[in-house]
């Protein structure tokens, strides 16, 4: 399984963009394109349906050596035995999520942050088990995925990397068209959602992004 420190392109298989019946095909294309880590996001879907889909999709990611994360459902992630779960600012504490997820070694818990203050707080939590394995930082740009959040822009990307000693995945409205600006601002890892899922050629899109990330890496 690819280690977290080697993951730079985080793809989200969002059922707001992809029909459940197309999820396996789309995931296969994302994996062939080279996504390093993938999250299943299924807002407003019943847990039983998410569980069935995750059980069907996880083996595809596992065969490719790509960590598979479930959004918002740590207990489900632990029950199925995927590589981890992701929680938001208003969800359960990371330590609680970790207890639910850790059915095996090396399980991951990621956390969303929307400011430098939140990012620093996550990374310096008094209880080590409340420190996530990685954070999402954003949304950088306006995105229909997070309509209630004000975009934070790219000006603080370099500062958050200087102050937070965790893998930081910049997220929110990032697409191939603005990727160079995000990387020039100091990003090292990115999450792309609609750009990948709505691409006419998902494999080629992911490969192009991976190439740009490789060229920008320090």
């Amino acid at each position: 399984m690819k280690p977290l420190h080697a993951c730079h392109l985080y793809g989200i298989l969002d059922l707001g963009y992809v029909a459940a019946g197309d999820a396996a095909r789309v995931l296969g294309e994302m994996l062939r394109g080279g996504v390093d880590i993938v999250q299943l996001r299924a807002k407003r879907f019943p847990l039983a349906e998410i569980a069935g889909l995750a059980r069907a999709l996880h083996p595809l990611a596992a065969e490719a050596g790509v960590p598979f994360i479930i959004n918002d459902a740590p207990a489900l992630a632990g029950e199925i035995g995927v590589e981890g779960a992701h929680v938001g600012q208003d969800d359960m504490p990371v330590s609680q999520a970790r207890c639910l997820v850790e059915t095996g070694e090396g399980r991951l818990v990621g956390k969303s942050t929307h400011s430098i203050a939140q990012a620093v707080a996550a990374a310096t939590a008094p209880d080590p088990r409340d420190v996530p394995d990685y954070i999402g930082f954003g949304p950088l740009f306006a995105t229909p995925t997070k309509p209630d959040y004000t975009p934070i822009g790219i000006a603080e990307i370099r500062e958050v990397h200087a102050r937070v000693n965790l893998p930081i995945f910049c997220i929110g409205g990032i697409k191939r068209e603005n990727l160079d600006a995000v990387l020039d601002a100091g990003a090292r890892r990115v999450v792309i959602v609609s750009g990948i899922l709505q691409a006419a050629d998902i494999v080629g899109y992911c490969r192009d992004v991976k190439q740009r990330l490789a060229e920008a890496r320090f």
Side-chain angles (χ1 to χ4, degrees), residues 3-39:
L4 183 60
H5 70 80
C7 295
H8 294 266
L9 175 56
Y10 194 133
I12 295 186
L13 185 60
D14 190 329
L15 298 191
Y17 291 97
V18 177
D22 288 333
R25 174 187 61 81
V26 172
L27 176 59
E29 293 177 7
M30 294 169 70
L31 295 170
R32 289 198 298 277
V35 294
D36 298 309
I37 183 169
V38 66
Q39 179 190 125

Side-chain angles (χ1 to χ4, degrees), residues 82-155:
V82 301
E83 281 66 52
H86 187 91
V87 296
Q89 279 290 311
D90 299 325
D91 296 330
M92 69 181 68
V94 168
S95 56
Q96 183 179 347
R98 203 176 290 287
C99 288
L100 296 170
V101 170
E102 286 186 348
T103 56
E105 292 295 324
R107 300 300 189 226
L108 304 172
V109 176
K111 183 170 185 174
S112 297
T113 66
H114 312 298
S115 66
I116 288 180
Q118 289 181 358
V120 170
T124 58
D127 181 348
R129 287 180 62 82
D130 270 323
V131 177
D133 297 287
Y134 70 87
I135 61 169
F137 183 70
L140 302 186
F141 308 106
T143 169
T145 305
K146 299 285 186 180
D148 298 329
Y149 290 95
T150 302
I152 62 176
I154 62 176

Side-chain angles (χ1 to χ4, degrees), residues 11 21 60-61 91 125 147 160 162 164-165 173 181 216-217:
L60 303 179
D91 296 330
V160 77
V164 173
N165 188 27
R217 204 167 302 160

Side-chain angles (χ1 to χ4, degrees), residues 29 176 195-203 205:
E29 293 177 7
R176 188 163 52 185
I196 290 176
L197 300 181
Q198 296 179 327
D201 175 9
I202 291 176
V203 175
Y205 191 104

